[in-house]
Amino acid sequence: MSDTLDVPPAPLHKNEHLKAESRFLRGHIRQDLDDASTGTISEDSAQLTKFHGVYPQDDRDLRAQRRKEGKERAYSFMARIRVPGGVCTPAQWLTMDSLAESHGNGTLKLTNRQAFQLHGVIKSKLRSTIREVNRALLDTLAACGDVNRNVMCNPNPYLSRLHAETLEIARLVATRLLPKTRAYHELWVDDSLVAGGEPEDEEPLYGQTYLPRKFKTAFAIPPSNDVDVFANDLGFIAIVNDQGGLAGFDVTVGGGMGMSHNQTATHPRLADVLGFCTPDQVVDVAEKIVTVQRDFGDRTDRKHARFKYTVEDRGLVWIRREVERRLGWELGSPRRFEFTSTGDRYGWTEGPNGDAHFTVFIENGRVKDATKAALREIAKVHTGDFRLTANQHLMIASVTPQARPLIDSLLVQHGLDHAHNATGLRLNAMACVALPTCGLALAESERYLPELVTELDAEVEAAGLRDDAIVIRMTGCPNGCGRPFLAEIGFVGKAPGKYNMYLGAAFNGSRLNCLYKTSVPSHEIVGIVRPLLRRYAGERLPGERFGDFAIRVGLVRPTGTGADFHDAEPTAAPA
Ligand code: SRM
Ligand code: SF4
């Protein structure tokens, strides 16, 4: 492999050795699962189980108490279920629902990459959980790990032929980029249950060290940028031809959110448009781009290993040349596209053939209690499918005219039509999971944002902005899972009860925000946001979005450098 960069040689990161020696992701996972003396697995196995969609976690609310009692942490596992394009059947929904009850913590988490997560699965139930997931013809393979993750796509295939075609291509890409190791089925599933034949025990695409880091792919269909395509390592933006059909895709590379506080070399980055390809070229383009990252991504420093840094270090021209060399042909020139928003459209939308779709607002994607019970009733009678959105909500898709009155009455009866009453702020809010399950959280997120939005709702109402869509996002740490750097108002956990506050991203996901205030205590947030909302209400130009306003009046000034995101104060981790 040729390397033109003048980089001093550095030792490979230890995970590279771990992968290489893992016999295609087996390592000691089986032994660790069989070890009944602990509720968790070893550090090394934890790195490898990610490739199988499994994370060891512990209930952080119980840590101090367990420590006092001299007990092991309250360990359990999170299983992430891959759902390409977010599409699943009512039967699959019912399986997830019942697994959450019987094997998890009773809740179902819809992620912002259109996947399911089961939390709180104890070790002794982990294998049977994954076996049941596979029995329902879903899987957890490559939902995490240094591979291509769940491929995202706008969830409404019935809106037009374009949507249906794009979803099909997204699924082809998802399949092509799946690891081929037999370890997954060996460890978790009885081989005879695998749909689609014998997997090979080699990795023609990835090799035995897989990718340097996680890799994410999304398909966007303008004018909706619901998938936040520019936050992805690889993106495809659908381009329409003169007849309204699918001409092809603009290809984007090098997006990502994650950074570390106080490490200015790390930063969020928006993807660049690389070129254009036709629908039949997409799978090859995706594969070749993955191989460029496989061969040139940084395997010495995992904080510098994402494709965004490869693109930044090598430059877009170099990346394009290398991709074209591998393809054996040249990409086309990028076409024009226009995004209007990143949000979901709630309630009923009419399809072309008399069918209809209802998007349910699910706060932060956490399906629990009455909502869970109601969706179970709907799943029992629904003949279409379910579609997980990239904003953590749920579309009940392709409801027939015959089924619509019943589904409608179930939605109303169970209060799932409540999005009509929510403010534009709440409808555009997103939080990552954070405490108590996420081991990396520095502050609350999913458990706190709804409460904060309730307080801010009063300010929004007072300012006359009830129906104004304003994108607000929160994460418990700077890894950026809730895509907070693409929020018009973003909060990023710094320490327990403290957040860095960001302003000024574009409503359509095409501009990152900038740091506005550092280490804001949660009780001061409303006092800081109130005058901003009032000023926006009084001084905005016609149609001006909050993020654009924040830039125009100089609340923040984007410089396009790492300084837009970092501050100098140290980070404190909770116990
Ligand atoms: Fe994430 C790690 C949850 C979307 C960037 N993410 C984690 C882990 C697994 C924590 C860990 O490594 O121990 C979190 C599990 C928490 C829990 O208890 O469930 C976690 N990430 C999530 C989810 C569930 C947030 C949500 O509420 O929806 C999302 C699952 C998506 C999925 O189905 O695959 C999720 N994570 C994202 C996104 C958004 C996206 O992809 O569009 C990002 C930013 C985009 C990006 O990748 O740059 C994101 N997650 C990270 C990072 C930082 C990566 C980096 O480049 O620095 C980590 C930490 C890491 O990889 O070291 C991380
Ligand atoms: Fe955990 Fe941080 Fe991701 Fe939130 S942003 S889920 S706290 S890793």
Side-chain angles (χ1 to χ4, degrees):
M1 159 196 344
S2 77
D3 192 341
T4 53
L5 279 190
D6 184 19
V7 190
L12 288 176
H13 189 275
K14 64 177 169 41
N15 281 28
E16 293 303 316
H17 301 292
L18 183 68
K19 287 183 273 183
E21 288 156 19
S22 73
R23 293 169 295 117
F24 295 105
L25 308 178
R26 288 172 178 83
H28 299 293
I29 296 176
R30 186 181 291 276
Q31 292 89 319
D32 280 7
L33 289 177
D34 290 342
D35 179 359
S37 70
T38 169
T40 189
I41 52 176
S42 64
E43 273 288 307
D44 283 358
S45 288
Q47 294 303 317
L48 295 175
T49 55
K50 290 184 189 181
F51 291 79
H52 302 262
V54 169
Y55 284 81
Q57 300 186 319
D58 73 291
D59 185 337
R60 294 181 59 183
D61 287 346
L62 302 179
R63 264 191 201 175
Q65 182 63 27
R66 307 270 298 192
R67 199 183 305 131
K68 221 187 294 166
E69 292 169 358
K71 289 187 184 151
E72 174 171 272
R73 288 179 179 179
Y75 290 118
S76 65
F77 291 81
M78 178 268 277
R80 188 178 287 161
I81 293 103
R82 204 173 54 91
V83 191
V87 184
C88 74
T89 64
Q92 288 170 330
W93 180 275
L94 288 171
T95 301
M96 290 303 119
D97 173 272
S98 86
L99 276 176
E101 294 298 324
S102 59
H103 288 61
N105 68 359
T107 72
L108 199 52
K109 162 80 188 178
L110 313 185
T111 77
N112 63 6
R113 294 195 67 82
Q114 302 178 291
F116 288 111
Q117 278 186 190
L118 293 168
H119 287 105
V121 181
I122 56 168
K123 192 164 153 180
S124 59
K125 291 188 172 182
L126 192 54
R127 270 211 198 101
S128 54
T129 304
I130 297 183
R131 205 174 305 127
E132 286 307 311
V133 166
N134 278 263
R135 219 189 277 277
L137 298 182
L138 288 169
D139 65 61
T140 61
L141 175 63
C144 333
D146 298 345
V147 282
N148 182 61
R149 308 284 188 90
N150 197 38
V151 174
M152 292 209 280
C153 185
N154 178 284
N156 194 346
Y158 304 109
L159 211 59
S160 72
R161 219 180 64 224
L162 189 87
H163 286 72
E165 283 172 24
T166 303
L167 176 67
E168 272 320 300
I169 295 168
R171 283 175 160 155
L172 292 176
V173 168
T175 305
R176 173 74 78 93
L177 300 183
L178 266 186
K180 297 280 184 278
T181 173
R182 210 196 292 253
Y184 179 79
H185 295 95
E186 216 177 88
L187 282 166
W188 312 100
V189 195
D190 182 332
D191 269 6
S192 61
L193 293 176
V194 181
E198 277 286 290
E200 300 161 44
D201 203 7
E202 58 175 314
E203 294 288 6
L205 172 60
Y206 291 116
Q208 58 177 2
T209 49
Y210 295 83
L211 295 180
R213 202 67 163 83
K214 56 174 72 165
F215 193 91
K216 299 181 172 178
T217 305
F219 284 74
I221 306 173
S224 172
N225 187 19
D226 56 345
V227 297
D228 264 328
V229 69
F230 300 115
N232 283 266
D233 298 89
L234 171 61
F236 292 94
I237 300 170
I239 305 291
V240 184
N241 61 25
D242 293 342
Q243 293 76 45
L246 185 59
F249 296 88
D250 273 359
V251 183
T252 63
V253 290
M257 292 281 102
M259 64 166 213
S260 302
H261 287 309
N262 310 318
Q263 293 190 19
T264 47
T266 66
H267 53 84
R269 184 179 193 277
L270 284 187
D272 296 300
V273 181
L274 188 71
F276 172 86
C277 70
T278 56
D280 57 313
Q281 295 172 332
V282 168
V283 176
D284 284 343
V285 169
E287 188 183 272
K288 294 300 180 275
I289 289 176
V290 165
T291 66
V292 171
Q293 166 63 354
R294 178 195 65 195
D295 297 344
F296 292 98
D298 185 348
R299 290 180 185 266
T300 65
D301 175 3
R302 285 181 71 80
K303 289 202 180 296
H304 186 257
R306 291 293 295 271
F307 191 38
K308 63 181 173 182
Y309 299 117
T310 317
V311 172
E312 208 162 74
D313 294 347
R314 304 261 169 188
L316 200 60
V317 173
W318 185 94
I319 296 283
R320 181 165 170 161
R321 213 180 317 121
E322 186 59 28
V323 172
E324 290 175 343
R325 192 183 67 73
R326 291 170 186 230
L327 284 167
W329 48 267
E330 289 182 6
L331 293 164
S333 302
R335 309 284 170 96
R336 284 169 64 90
F337 57 84
E338 197 180 338
F339 289 124
T340 53
S341 80
T342 56
D344 286 343
R345 191 169 149 196
Y346 303 98
W348 287 106
T349 47
E350 308 299 326
N353 308 320
D355 52 1
H357 326 293
F358 190 94
T359 302
V360 186
F361 171 80
I362 310 242
E363 197 149 51
N364 301 321
R366 185 68 65 174
V367 183
K368 58 181 182 182
D369 306 330
T371 302
K372 188 156 174 289
L375 290 170
R376 188 184 310 136
E377 291 315 305
I378 290 172
K380 284 179 190 163
V381 297
H382 181 40
T383 53
D385 45 41
F386 284 96
R387 296 179 180 246
L388 283 53
T389 81
N391 286 296
Q392 306 167 323
H393 304 297
L394 180 69
M395 180 184 288
I396 303 164
S398 200
V399 177
T400 60
Q402 297 75 21
R404 183 164 170 171
L406 176 57
I407 302 237
D408 202 27
S409 73
L410 285 168
L411 288 165
V412 174
Q413 185 188 329
H414 293 287
L416 293 186
D417 58 342
H418 60 291
H420 305 310
N421 305 322
T423 60
L425 188 70
R426 192 178 297 277
L427 294 177
N428 288 278
M430 177 153 71
C432 72
V433 179
L435 294 162
T437 52
C438 178
L440 306 178
L442 302 168
E444 294 281 354
S445 182
E446 185 189 319
R447 296 195 294 197
Y448 173 48
L449 186 62
E451 192 186 310
L452 176 63
V453 171
T454 300
E455 288 180 64
L456 291 175
D457 271 354
E459 305 301 331
V460 157
E461 299 264 9
L465 298 172
R466 178 174 218 293
D467 295 323
D468 284 85
I470 299 175
V471 177
I472 180 169
R473 295 176 177 176
M474 177 176 276
T475 56
C477 84
N479 280 319
C481 298
R483 300 191 285 267
F485 305 111
L486 280 165
E488 294 178 286
I489 307 177
F491 294 97
V492 174
K494 192 83 198 296
K498 288 197 175 159
Y499 298 86
N500 278 0
M501 180 175 168
Y502 293 79
L503 295 178
F507 186 74
N508 68 0
S510 63
R511 181 185 61 238
L512 294 169
N513 52 24
C514 306
L515 186 60
Y516 176 61
K517 285 196 184 302
T518 63
S519 295
V520 179
S522 43
H523 63 270
E524 289 180 13
I525 292 177
V526 175
I528 291 172
V529 176
R530 181 183 301 127
L532 302 180
L533 291 173
R534 295 204 174 160
R535 197 171 161 198
Y536 171 58
E539 296 178 27
R540 65 179 158 170
L541 302 174
E544 189 175 33
R545 295 290 179 183
F546 182 80
D548 297 337
F549 170 81
I551 304 284
R552 182 175 62 80
V553 303
L555 295 175
V556 285
R557 292 182 199 284
T559 64
T561 70
D564 290 349
F565 307 102
H566 291 277
D567 64 276
E569 290 174 48
T571 308

